[in-house]
Amino acid sequence: MSTKVPGQAQVVIIGGGIVGCSVAYHLTKLGWSDVLVLERKELGSGTTWAAAGLLAQLRQNQEMTNLAKYTVDLYEGLEAETGVATGFRRNGAVAVCQTEDRRKELLRAAAMARAFNVEMHEISTKEAGDLVPGMNTKDLVAAFYLPYDGVTNPIETTRALAKGAKMGGAKILENVCVTGIQTKDGAVCGVSTDQGDIACEYVVNCAGMWGLQVGQWVNVSVPLHAAEHMHAVTMPIEGLKKHFPTVRDFDGETYFKSEAEGILFGGFEAVSKPWGMKGIPEKFMYTELQEDWDQFQPFMDCALKRFPGMESAQIRHLSVVPESFTPDTAFMVGEAPGVKNFFVGCGMNSVGIQSAGGVGRALSHWIVDGRPEEQLWPVDIRRYFPWQRNARYLHDRIVEAVGVLYHHHYPNRQLTSARPVICSPIHDRLAANGAAFSMTAGWERADWFAPQGVEPVHKYSWQKPNWFEYQGQEHMAIREGVGLYDLTSMGKLLVRGRDAEKYLQKMCSNDVAVPVGKVVYTPVLNERGGFETDVTVTRFSEDSFLIVTAAATLIRDYDYFNRRILADANVTIADVTHGYAMLALMGPKSRELLQILTNADLSNDAFPYGTAREIDVAYARPWALRMSYVGELGWELYIPAMFTLPVFDAIFEQGKQFGMRLVGMQAVNSLRLETGYRHWESDITPDETPYEAGLGFGVKLDKGDFIGRDALVKQKEEGIKRKLVMFTLDNPDIMLYGSEPMYRNSVWMDNLRSGAYGFKVGSAVAMGYVKDGQPITEKWILDGKYELEVQGKMIPAKVHIRSPYDPKNERTKM
């Protein structure tokens, strides 16, 4: 390796683990050769070297699966390309189930796998035993086989990627420690090292456990924390195949891999041991931690149960190394918010080897093309907030987060650690009335309300969960009476300045040049016409507008808007999320209830749909927006935070005479789905346009230029080849949660984007895209026969081009 530090490079990659080397490799494949990798010690000496080297293709969503699939395919050809033996082998994998609930989960996973073109199918326990001689199958309920999963040698694969990068012109320097990052005008412009400064255009943070510190140099939140991660290797065990499929016993928290005629085994314990609270030693290199056999005991217990031959096997080595995990156990990819040309690829959560190829490719395209090849929101660095770098929060969350990888992945499963972080002003009122809370973006939100005598605790299921009945009552209260829910967590951005209207007209596809006191729903698009977000824009005055967006996407949306303010524009954007609470009063009786508390005229003529006005409510003056995300008459009240409690108390007291119910997020979701309202991330993404999503009413092509307009004009002329539709079922007992494969005339169309139970229509409801190779028509859609695959069974479904409930959206305008 070269040791002379150059004075400049186009791209500097911090970290020479497998991800950093993959980024360099892929940048050279795209024709960029002025690429420099800086490694503080030796390549792969941080955590890469100690990985088990398992290669699983199926992940929790299509985006991460695509990255993993590409990785396996890449590694298969690396040795031939570079001459470096990687130890790659497609030995397959067997996932075993000790419980029927685990089988249900894996049946869903197998259906997803087929949709993602990953082979996975259920096999008998006898077949599992034949594939893995020596494995005990007597206690198993089921097993699943993935024949094309594999294994690789982590350090040799890293060296192969490094050699491939050098073959493409990249430079890789070991024993060079980066000490800082330089910025100018909001963009990176260089790095400082212990051997001199290097000017550059791009910096990529692939520093693994050190990634949080690297982010802090440019004030970017890269929330990760190390935990002790361990596996053991046995001496040879008689009767084992030399190479058998990897075994994953999720219920036992343990995986098993063939290793030199013995077994390598480890896992993901429910209660992990955080590490590095006092920092990472400067000499850290190929470092192992002190053995902890008590911590390892759950894996040993599972090993003795699953492989009886382990009883007499000798443990050759117990490896204990630190590895970084993130609060939601998904890694971080992309351009960081707030700093141009600073990219992140770290926090790999023990899937770094199996995802590094895809991550390297995604980051390289993002750098070279200015965007990723496909939307990557599930792993986007912009999903994290600045507060999430808090050391105590990370420590407490990582205790739980490690085990999440092998938990049951029930719908709506909540993490319980490091809570609460953010509470609305009425949190205690909601708790006193039986709220069971869920958490989004750090906010505690009422998920559902338990009646008196019922404990507000989530009990998860693949069927109807324990809150199903109470969710239904809340749902029907809004459909037939009145309900109140708290959405203080919604992101709120105040856009001000004499150029604010002109700027927003460029950013939004709908016309926001409206009179003061009007609310506009609008898509916000990329150049391809796809949704970067969708928001409501309320005109407060001639030069001020309020943007309301989802809680989880606030950082992403703020960054997207802020980056596109022209240097000479008189526009500012301020995050005022925590300055306002938001209470939504919804349902056919909402006008009657709210009218008691205000002297404003709430009639349709005086206060039509889409109107915003400051009104008196109790002793406060909130902004009242005549909008709805649940498909009924109602108002969203944006209340200065310090006034919230009295306003809530007044509504709650007067609501008693109308039978008003407090409503949680589970009901809000089922209400919005039943009435056909889309949700960014699931139903609409950067890869779908408003015309495809049935939201063309939010596009005004004749208002002038806006981002994405050219793409939409072209699509409108050519016709759409896919369309978001809805489904209901004849069987009222089947639940849909999203991700179920959807078939038209036995041909896979897509996986459902979202699903919930429609209590008013009496069945599960869901959304998904149908597609064809040529422009599609409503007739083509309606002529098809549709089925949904639910836990291995094909279920007939009825298609709806518009929502099954109030398809003309008339009830919001009553």
Side-chain angles (χ1 to χ4, degrees):
M1 301 281 180
S2 171
T3 57
K4 185 178 180 181
V5 174
Q8 65 180 33
Q10 186 176 16
V11 184
V12 171
I13 299 167
I14 302 173
I18 195 165
V19 177
C21 289
S22 177
V23 174
Y25 171 90
H26 285 91
L27 281 170
T28 64
K29 292 296 183 183
L30 295 177
W32 286 28
S33 58
D34 191 9
V35 177
L36 177 63
V37 178
L38 300 178
E39 165 54 45
R40 57 181 288 279
K41 295 296 183 183
E42 296 179 7
L43 292 185
S45 64
T47 56
T48 295
W49 70 277
L54 308 180
L55 300 176
Q57 298 179 88
L58 182 64
R59 305 303 303 158
Q60 55 263 52
N61 52 58
Q62 183 156 15
E63 295 85 356
M64 295 176 74
T65 297
N66 289 346
L67 298 180
K69 281 175 58 184
Y70 169 78
T71 298
V72 177
D73 292 342
L74 170 69
Y75 292 171
E76 190 167 31
L78 265 186
E79 181 174 346
E81 178 187 351
T82 65
V84 178
T86 63
F88 174 87
R89 186 172 62 254
R90 286 191 190 263
N91 61 320
V94 175
V96 300
C97 309
Q98 296 186 33
T99 65
E100 187 59 39
D101 259 18
R102 183 69 71 178
R103 178 174 180 265
K104 291 176 181 177
E105 178 178 336
L106 293 185
L107 282 169
R108 293 176 61 88
M112 286 175 52
R114 285 190 290 277
F116 300 161
N117 200 27
V118 172
E119 185 171 341
M120 176 181 180
H121 56 270
E122 187 172 12
I123 59 176
S124 68
T125 56
K126 180 183 184 305
E127 289 173 305
D130 292 341
L131 285 166
V132 189
M135 180 174 68
N136 172 34
T137 63
K138 292 180 181 178
D139 64 324
L140 298 180
V141 171
F144 291 79
Y145 184 42
L146 297 95
Y148 296 109
D149 278 9
V151 294
T152 198
N153 182 298
I155 198 69
E156 295 303 331
T157 305
T158 301
R159 289 169 179 158
L161 288 167
K163 184 174 180 181
K166 289 192 294 177
M167 290 165 61
K171 294 181 181 178
I172 299 177
L173 303 183
E174 297 178 307
N175 298 303
V176 177
C177 184
V178 179
T179 57
I181 299 173
Q182 302 151 20
T183 62
K184 183 179 180 181
D185 298 329
V188 297
C189 63
V191 299
S192 301
T193 79
D194 59 359
Q195 298 177 37
D197 292 348
I198 304 168
C200 64
E201 298 176 41
Y202 300 86
V203 173
V204 189
N205 177 5
C206 297
M209 289 189 300
W210 295 264
L212 185 148
Q213 175 188 337
V214 171
Q216 288 174 341
W217 292 337
V218 287
N219 197 31
V220 168
S221 180
V222 184
L224 53 80
H225 197 293
E228 294 187 17
H229 197 53
M230 54 194 72
H231 63 249
V233 181
T234 73
M235 297 294 284
I237 298 175
E238 187 176 351
L240 288 183
K241 284 183 178 179
K242 183 178 181 180
H243 302 301
F244 59 80
T246 298
V247 175
R248 293 183 176 89
D249 188 336
F250 297 104
D251 298 302
E253 304 175 352
T254 309
Y255 61 80
F256 304 88
K257 169 194 171 188
S258 59
E259 184 83 5
E261 300 184 3
I263 295 178
L264 181 154
F265 66 107
F268 300 92
E269 64 272 43
V271 180
S272 73
K273 286 180 64 178
W275 179 87
M277 285 71 75
K278 297 180 180 179
I280 304 171
E282 190 281 328
K283 294 183 179 180
F284 191 98
M285 180 175 70
Y286 302 118
T287 301
E288 295 191 64
L289 309 179
Q290 183 175 350
E291 294 180 349
D292 186 340
W293 288 99
D294 290 338
Q295 185 72 7
F296 192 73
Q297 192 61 47
F299 309 139
M300 182 62 75
D301 291 342
C302 181
L304 293 170
K305 179 180 180 180
R306 192 58 52 226
F307 287 88
M310 288 284 294
E311 189 71 42
S312 58
Q314 181 179 350
I315 301 294
R316 175 157 53 93
H317 181 64
L318 173 62
S319 174
V320 182
V321 297
E323 186 166 350
S324 60
F325 292 82
T326 62
D328 62 0
T329 64
F331 48 79
M332 293 174 280
V333 172
E335 188 174 13
V339 185
K340 293 179 181 178
N341 297 342
F342 179 69
F343 287 80
V344 176
C346 55
M348 299 306 294
N349 299 278
S350 201
V351 297
I353 306 303
Q354 68 187 37
S355 302
V359 168
R361 177 176 173 175
L363 279 171
S364 298
H365 277 279
W366 208 324
I367 292 167
V368 173
D369 302 332
R371 61 179 177 85
E373 290 182 286
E374 63 175 342
Q375 78 94 9
L376 292 172
W377 174 244
V379 293
D380 196 317
I381 179 66
R382 293 171 294 175
R383 72 189 187 275
Y384 284 125
F385 289 73
W387 62 264
Q388 287 180 285
R389 73 180 93 170
N390 176 281
R392 181 177 176 184
Y393 165 81
L394 289 172
H395 171 278
D396 293 353
R397 172 53 58 84
I398 260 57
V399 170
E400 178 186 14
V402 174
V404 166
L405 291 165
Y406 273 20
H407 279 177
H408 284 279
H409 297 98
Y410 291 115
N412 195 50
R413 179 154 188 169
Q414 298 293 311
L415 296 174
T416 59
S417 58
R419 293 175 62 181
V421 176
I422 311 172
C423 296
S424 87
I426 62 169
H427 177 84
D428 287 350
R429 295 286 202 276
L430 302 179
N433 282 279
F437 290 96
S438 58
M439 187 274 294
T440 296
W443 286 90
E444 294 291 327
R445 308 199 301 187
D447 207 39
W448 53 278
F449 288 86
Q452 191 170 5
V454 175
E455 189 176 9
V457 174
H458 290 84
K459 296 179 181 178
Y460 304 105
S461 172
W462 288 107
Q463 306 307 125
K464 294 177 179 178
N466 70 314
W467 63 83
F468 183 81
E469 176 185 353
Y470 316 124
Q471 176 188 348
Q473 294 167 0
E474 296 165 26
H475 183 114
M476 295 307 294
I478 283 184
R479 285 283 179 255
E480 298 177 350
V482 61
L484 178 71
Y485 57 86
D486 176 18
L487 265 180
T488 299
S489 58
M490 295 293 284
K492 309 168 196 79
L493 302 174
L494 187 62
V495 183
R496 304 184 68 183
R498 65 173 178 268
D499 296 325
E501 178 188 296
K502 179 181 178 182
Y503 161 73
L504 287 172
Q505 284 289 75
K506 178 71 173 179
M507 294 295 297
C508 301
S509 67
N510 209 341
D511 188 356
V512 298
V514 293
V516 173
K518 292 299 291 182
V519 190
V520 177
Y521 164 82
T522 180
V524 177
L525 309 176
N526 53 41
E527 288 75 7
R528 306 183 311 282
F531 284 88
E532 288 298 324
T533 187
D534 70 326
V535 299
T536 59
V537 177
T538 301
R539 189 161 204 160
F540 277 177
S541 67
E542 286 301 313
D543 63 355
S544 66
F545 298 79
L546 180 70
I547 294 174
V548 177
T549 189
T553 61
L554 175 61
I555 295 298
R556 185 187 195 279
D557 293 350
Y558 177 83
D559 186 64
Y560 190 80
F561 278 104
N562 202 48
R563 284 175 183 260
R564 286 158 179 79
I565 299 176
L566 297 178
D568 60 349
N570 185 271
V571 179
T572 61
I573 302 178
D575 177 6
V576 296
T577 299
H578 296 275
Y580 292 88
M582 195 276 260
L583 302 181
L585 189 65
M586 298 287 156
K589 296 181 181 179
S590 59
R591 178 183 285 120
E592 192 177 352
L593 169 54
L594 187 58
Q595 192 68 76
I596 295 174
L597 298 166
T598 184
N599 58 5
D601 185 349
L602 302 180
S603 67
N604 237 341
D605 290 338
F607 209 129
Y609 185 77
T611 297
R613 191 170 296 155
E614 276 190 294
I615 66 172
D616 293 346
V617 178
Y619 299 135
R621 290 274 297 165
W623 275 92
L625 275 59
R626 177 93 186 270
M627 296 295 288
S628 175
Y629 191 54
V630 293
E632 298 293 341
L633 168 71
W635 280 263
E636 297 176 351
L637 303 178
Y638 291 82
I639 311 163
M642 68 288 290
F643 288 94
T644 310
L645 272 174
V647 172
F648 172 83
D649 287 343
I651 296 173
F652 189 78
E653 181 62 31
Q654 293 297 331
K656 292 176 182 177
Q657 61 186 295
F658 297 94
M660 185 191 79
R661 291 189 70 106
L662 297 178
V663 173
M665 291 301 100
Q666 287 294 316
V668 171
N669 185 54
S670 57
L671 286 158
R672 72 94 186 169
L673 254 169
E674 188 176 56
T675 203
Y677 289 178
R678 280 59 163 157
H679 177 254
W680 191 90
E681 177 192 357
S682 53
D683 310 317
I684 50 178
T685 78
D687 295 332
E688 285 95 32
T689 73
Y691 296 141
E692 294 167 339
L695 297 173
F697 67 87
V699 176
K700 298 295 185 288
L701 294 177
D702 58 355
K703 72 162 188 170
D705 192 27
F706 57 86
I707 297 173
R709 182 181 184 278
D710 291 346
L712 294 186
V713 168
K714 181 180 179 182
Q715 186 176 69
K716 193 170 186 179
E717 291 173 350
E718 296 177 350
I720 59 172
K721 297 180 180 179
R722 60 177 169 172
K723 176 80 171 177
L724 187 67
V725 297
M726 296 191 63
F727 297 96
T728 55
L729 306 177
D730 291 334
N731 187 334
D733 295 324
I734 295 176
M735 301 292 286
L736 299 175
Y737 297 108
S739 296
E740 294 89 351
M742 175 246 303
Y743 296 84
R744 178 186 183 274
N745 297 343
S746 300
V747 176
W748 177 74
M749 294 279 103
D750 191 10
N751 283 11
L752 294 178
R753 298 302 183 88
S754 56
Y757 200 85
F759 292 90
K760 184 67 173 179
V761 301
S763 87
V765 292
M767 291 184 183
Y769 285 86
V770 293
K771 58 188 178 182
D772 196 20
Q774 56 188 354
I776 59 177
T777 64
E778 290 193 2
K779 182 178 185 304
W780 180 89
I781 294 171
L782 295 173
D783 283 348
K785 176 186 176 183
Y786 294 89
E787 294 176 298
L788 309 177
E789 187 173 358
V790 182
Q791 295 177 15
K793 297 180 180 179
M794 302 302 291
I795 307 298
K798 181 179 180 181
V799 69
H800 302 265
I801 292 174
R802 294 165 189 84
S803 61
Y805 175 75
D806 189 23
K808 295 183 179 180
N809 197 28
E810 296 172 326
R811 294 182 64 81
T812 59
K813 302 175 179 64
M814 293 192 306

